Amino acid sequence: MNHNRVVCFDLEMCCWNENGVGTTGEIIEIGLAEIDLVKGEIVKRAQYYAKPENDEISAFCVELTGITPRKIEKQGRPLESVLQSMVKNFGGANKIYASWGRDDLILKSECEAKGIEMPFKEFINLATLYRIQHRLKDKRIGHREAQDNQNIEWEGRQHSGYVDAYNLAKLALTML
């Protein structure tokens, strides 16, 4: 286990907003940004698109994420293939993975449903760590608000896994 490296990741899923109620489905994007805690820098980034097996990408999802059905058709691969690439390029179980919130549970649930092995074992919920570090007891805040509170400039379009993982890596460097 390499404790000097942490892989920040963010998932985007098929999503709908009907009658003001948001729901999500299968994973369509995984964004990753690896940090080196010794060097204090982001050392690697990647973006993978996954083809959903049972869901479609709604107009709401396109508006929110910028991910179109055409993009998924052209660049998407089955989730199992995406996770194999992720393990190959980011070390899988040899690294610690982190997200803002419990994206690990979302990934685990979809992996179980599709008979795929979970690509990592070690996980840090940076939202919980942030609340502990800043003594926020019951107050939950979003990733962007936390980053703004630390005076770290947000770069890019929110709700892009690639962009969100990169911004999370910048925040994680200040936290870890």
Side-chain angles (χ1 to χ4, degrees):
M1 174 69 61
N2 186 341
H3 292 92
N4 295 321
R5 297 281 183 106
V6 175
V7 179
C8 297
F9 74 101
D10 184 73
L11 305 176
E12 298 301 327
M13 285 90 62
C14 290
C15 51
W16 302 268
N17 186 11
E18 297 182 19
N19 302 321
V21 178
T23 58
T24 59
E26 291 178 89
I27 296 166
I28 55 173
E29 181 194 9
I30 302 175
L32 302 115
E34 184 173 336
I35 58 176
D36 183 316
L37 296 174
V38 175
K39 293 179 180 177
E41 63 187 26
I42 298 167
V43 294
K44 190 186 303 187
R45 294 175 70 185
Q47 174 181 47
Y48 300 105
Y49 291 110
K51 283 187 178 178
E53 294 176 11
N54 303 304
D55 287 333
E56 293 182 14
I57 298 170
S58 68
F60 172 77
C61 189
V62 172
E63 184 179 326
L64 182 68
T65 67
I67 300 169
T68 64
R70 180 176 166 89
K71 181 174 283 193
I72 293 299
E73 187 59 39
K74 290 179 82 176
Q75 299 178 34
R77 296 181 288 146
L79 182 62
E80 185 171 23
S81 173
V82 165
L83 296 180
Q84 288 168 352
S85 293
M86 194 172 118
V87 168
K88 179 183 174 197
N89 296 321
F90 286 87
N94 297 320
K95 301 272 176 67
I96 299 167
Y97 282 68
S99 70
W100 191 267
R102 296 307 307 264
D103 282 12
D104 65 315
L105 296 180
I106 294 166
L107 181 60
K108 181 180 182 201
S109 176
E110 191 163 331
C111 284
E112 287 174 354
K114 293 180 176 178
I116 302 169
E117 187 177 336
M118 186 68 172
F120 56 84
K121 294 176 180 31
E122 294 286 331
F123 175 77
I124 300 169
N125 178 349
L126 292 172
T128 298
L129 181 59
Y130 186 89
R131 282 200 327 271
I132 291 167
Q133 289 176 340
H134 296 274
R135 310 287 190 261
L136 298 177
K137 294 186 183 178
D138 296 325
K139 185 178 184 232
R140 294 184 182 274
I141 66 171
H143 168 200
R144 186 158 188 171
E145 183 180 351
Q147 192 161 317
D148 289 344
N149 289 346
Q150 298 307 115
N151 295 314
I152 301 168
E153 182 182 352
W154 186 275
E155 296 180 46
R157 176 193 177 129
Q158 197 169 5
H159 300 296
S160 156
Y162 185 70
V163 168
D164 290 354
Y166 173 71
N167 282 297
L168 185 59
K170 292 189 332 182
L171 179 61
L173 282 170
T174 69
M175 296 171 63
L176 302 174

